Amino acid sequence: MRGDGDGWSTSPGGIRHWGRFGAAGLLLRAPLPGGGSAVLLQHRAPWSHQGGTWAIPGGARDSHESAEHAAVREAWEEAGITADALHVRAERLTMTAPSGWTYTTVVADAAGPLATVANRESAELAWVPEDEVSDLPLHPSFATAWLELRAVPVRVRFSAEPVLPLPRTVEITDRGFFWVSATVDGPGDEVSLDAPADELAVTLAAVLAGVGPA
């Protein structure tokens, strides 16, 4: 059962969205050598819908797929990113249509900027520093979604080792996404990188008021 999602979903008024069962995309972050995070973006091929704009790898969901499965598959097909190279952190429903069509953004981390292989749907692929994403000519739907997907960098202070060796994206309910870029000695609770994302979110929520952006 591959490819049965290809096709248009039409809303009243004739507005169409690609994906008979909805669509999904992968927002993949990785740490930059000098600090901060980068996001993998796709420069859409000129012949494609909204060609020439930038967005994340993504596409139609098949009938048997979860949003996560579809987003990870699309990242492989459009950018050559393998599932074992990333860690899914969250999902966010970022668009709905009267037809019932939906677009889900799956948020994930990688240990570093990964090598990519573009297919014919991409003019190019690039790891773009997070604070430079808004400077690009973004796909209109992604531009709207980016306002709630962007992660706030935060330097969290913990009281004891281990220091987190890998930055990661954490979602805190009602507060959005945060990028944990460093940890240093100071007030706070010890947390392990192996802690579940929801446990880390609870810890961060408890200390963010006294931490502030990095």
Side-chain angles (χ1 to χ4, degrees):
M1 293 182 64
R2 278 293 309 276
D4 66 341
D6 288 348
W8 295 99
S9 176
T10 304
S11 292
I15 298 176
R16 301 193 303 170
H17 297 91
W18 183 251
R20 294 176 57 226
F21 307 103
L26 188 75
L27 176 61
L28 185 61
R29 287 188 177 89
L32 290 169
S37 59
V39 178
L40 177 62
L41 294 184
Q42 175 194 54
H43 195 190
R44 299 168 67 87
W47 58 264
S48 65
H49 180 62
Q50 296 288 348
T53 62
W54 291 81
I56 56 176
R61 290 172 60 176
D62 291 337
S63 60
H64 62 286
E65 288 185 307
S66 66
E68 178 179 331
H69 185 279
V72 172
R73 173 179 57 75
E74 289 287 339
W76 161 246
E77 293 177 358
E78 297 184 357
I81 302 295
T82 59
D84 61 357
L86 56 89
H87 301 279
V88 172
R89 301 302 186 195
E91 292 184 12
R92 182 70 65 89
L93 183 64
T94 46
M95 188 174 180
T96 60
S99 63
W101 180 93
T102 61
Y103 190 98
T104 301
T105 300
V106 176
V107 180
D109 291 342
L114 304 170
T116 59
V117 179
N119 69 359
R120 62 186 295 270
E121 297 179 38
S122 305
E124 60 179 312
L125 296 162
W127 287 95
V128 180
E130 186 137 3
D131 59 2
E132 297 178 12
V133 170
S134 297
D135 297 335
L136 296 172
L138 301 179
H139 185 286
S141 296
F142 178 62
T144 299
W146 180 243
L147 298 176
E148 61 179 272
L149 294 170
R150 182 171 181 172
V152 176
V154 63
R155 187 179 300 275
V156 181
R157 300 176 185 272
F158 294 105
S159 59
E161 297 292 344
V163 170
L164 300 183
L166 173 66
R168 62 189 294 179
T169 304
V170 176
E171 182 181 22
I172 298 178
T173 303
D174 298 327
R175 298 195 63 176
F177 292 98
F178 293 84
W179 176 255
V180 181
S181 58
T183 59
V184 296
D185 293 336
D189 297 318
E190 180 179 338
V191 63
S192 168
L193 180 63
D194 296 327
D198 55 353
E199 181 179 321
L200 181 56
V202 170
T203 301
L204 287 178
V207 300
L208 272 175
V211 174

